[in-house]
Amino acid sequence: SDIKAYKDFRTNTKDDDNFDINELFVEGDIKNIDYKVGRQIIVWGKSDNIRITDTLNRLDKTAFGMVDIKDLRLGRFMSKFGIGYNGWDIDVIAIEENMHSKMPKEGSDYYIPKQYPKEEDDKLLSGGAISISKNFQGQDIALYLSNDYVDNDIYKTNMFGVAYNVVFDSFLFKTEIAYFDNYDTNRVDEVTDGLFGIEYNGISDGSISFEVANKSKEIQYAIRWTQSYFNDSLDLTALWLGFGKDIQNGAISRV
């Protein structure tokens, strides 16, 4: 078992006057079936910068762009059961908690006026998901299928996704594709997101990567440089994210 909790001291409202348990779960195995039940984080996809198939966990977006995605995921109550078959890993996931990403509140430098669903709009049983993956020599592939509520909205979507990595010498090529069939009584909207990335690891204790994606019908770019020092005890990262064709929707630079 494992537990991780956090408290956000940046705001001082009654709604924030508590500690949130981010991860609290039990895990083990029964015969050939692995299980993990509780509030947990399940990472899908290959990208470190742009989420395409990584849809199961919501994000803390209260300070957008300041911290890597891996440090922003919010735990969610899910039950995951996994089994191995001929080198394939198969995970079946029941999503018992519907939740929304944490958004900036009024008064924050990151606040964007928008109507978000109220907590009472959450459903008790949110949906389910299946992940099938396998590692080959120098490459790996994963297939994803989920039925879940759209983040910060009250309608559902079926998602089918594929993620693939392959290594050539010092280069890592990554691809993600996700098809969303959104539906409710008022709207029908089909969206296909995709990402292509290349990462060069021929630098001693470092890497340089470039990713381009079409997400929610918007072009996004990411350029990332990472270098480790002092026996991997210090990591330096420079990241640039651009949004929209010709960057008309802005960009983020961070070191």
Side-chain angles (χ1 to χ4, degrees):
S1 62
D2 189 17
I3 180 171
K4 296 181 183 179
Y6 67 91
K7 167 67 176 175
D8 187 350
F9 292 98
R10 289 172 295 180
T11 58
N12 189 24
T13 64
K14 292 182 179 180
D15 293 338
D16 293 332
D17 193 21
N18 63 286
F19 281 88
D20 294 313
I21 297 176
N22 201 41
E23 293 181 76
L24 177 61
F25 55 81
V26 293
E27 62 180 337
D29 62 89
I30 301 176
K31 293 185 178 180
N32 295 325
I33 300 177
D34 297 324
Y35 67 86
K36 187 175 182 180
V37 179
R39 180 164 279 194
Q40 57 185 290
I41 293 174
I42 299 176
V43 180
W44 281 1
K46 310 299 180 182
S47 173
D48 297 321
N49 309 300
I50 303 173
R51 303 213 309 170
I52 300 296
T53 58
D54 184 32
T55 60
L56 295 186
N57 290 96
R58 310 315 192 192
L59 296 182
D60 181 350
K61 298 181 179 180
T62 53
F64 182 73
M66 296 297 292
V67 183
D68 283 342
I69 291 174
K70 64 183 179 67
D71 299 315
L72 295 177
R73 292 185 180 93
L74 301 175
R76 189 178 187 185
F77 200 98
M78 296 181 280
S79 300
K80 182 176 72 170
F81 302 91
I83 190 171
Y85 180 76
N86 287 340
W88 291 87
D89 294 321
I90 304 172
D91 291 329
V92 178
I93 304 163
I95 307 171
E96 289 94 357
E97 180 183 16
N98 185 30
M99 62 185 299
H100 308 301
S101 289
K102 290 183 177 292
M103 305 304 296
K105 296 186 177 181
E106 190 172 1
S108 167
D109 292 337
Y110 301 89
Y111 176 70
I112 299 176
K114 183 179 178 181
Q115 290 294 112
Y116 294 105
K118 300 177 181 179
E119 291 185 1
E120 52 264 33
D121 291 327
D122 290 352
K123 304 297 188 296
L124 178 62
L125 180 61
S126 184
I130 298 175
S131 169
I132 303 174
S133 61
K134 184 173 183 178
N135 294 325
F136 302 90
Q137 184 175 1
Q139 56 189 318
D140 58 81
I141 188 171
L143 307 176
Y144 308 115
L145 179 65
S146 69
N147 174 263
D148 193 12
Y149 283 91
V150 174
D151 189 15
N152 287 323
D153 219 315
I154 58 173
Y155 66 96
K156 271 191 164 185
T157 178
N158 293 310
M159 189 276 279
F160 175 74
V162 179
Y164 176 71
N165 273 1
V166 61
V167 175
F168 289 104
D169 294 328
S170 298
F171 292 91
L172 172 66
F173 296 89
K174 58 185 72 175
T175 303
E176 292 187 46
I177 299 175
Y179 169 77
F180 298 87
D181 177 16
N182 303 331
Y183 63 90
D184 74 347
T185 57
N186 299 316
R187 61 179 290 180
V188 176
D189 187 18
E190 297 180 356
V191 177
T192 300
D193 294 343
L195 174 142
F196 174 78
I198 180 172
E199 181 176 317
Y200 177 66
N201 296 286
I203 306 172
S204 178
D205 298 321
S207 65
I208 299 174
S209 66
F210 171 76
E211 295 175 351
V212 58
N214 178 33
K215 182 176 181 179
S216 301
K217 301 180 181 179
E218 177 188 67
I219 301 296
Q220 297 186 15
Y221 312 88
I223 301 175
R224 184 187 189 96
W225 169 66
T226 301
Q227 189 72 41
S228 298
Y229 300 94
F230 307 116
N231 296 321
D232 294 330
S233 61
L234 175 66
D235 292 328
L236 178 62
T237 298
L239 176 66
W240 179 86
L241 291 171
F243 303 92
K245 186 178 180 180
D246 300 326
I247 322 299
Q248 78 269 23
N249 292 331
I252 295 172
S253 299
R254 174 168 60 84
V255 176

